[in-house]
Amino acid sequence: MAFAQTPVSGIDVTNTIPATAITAGSQTIPFAIGTVCNGNDGKLYVFAKANASITASTAVCTVNASTFLATASGGSYTSPATNMVTGDYGWFSKASV
């Protein structure tokens, strides 16, 4: 399990936030989309919003650098280990070396 180290620490970067939980008011978005951190597993993580359905652990995700919307198409990021639908939030990882 990966956790954030810098510049924020102790954040579970494997956690996702379903759009339905935000709509229902049971959860809030804890970070601004585009927040970046380094994980204790040596990967770079960016907090992004799914712009389409994304299968768990998809290794070819694109995270738009200006809107921070993520799609499962030809990129260098890997999606969280949970299936996502449009509007879900999560940490997308990529090798930082």
Side-chain angles (χ1 to χ4, degrees), residues 44-89:
L44 176 72
Y45 288 85
V46 63
F47 190 70
K49 182 177 182 179
N51 197 31
S53 293
I54 301 173
T55 305
S57 303
T58 299
V60 290
C61 291
T62 299
V63 177
N64 183 295
S66 60
T67 63
F68 302 104
L69 296 176
T71 58
S73 60
S76 59
Y77 288 87
T78 300
S79 65
T82 305
N83 289 330
M84 300 177 81
V85 298
T86 302
D88 288 355
Y89 292 83

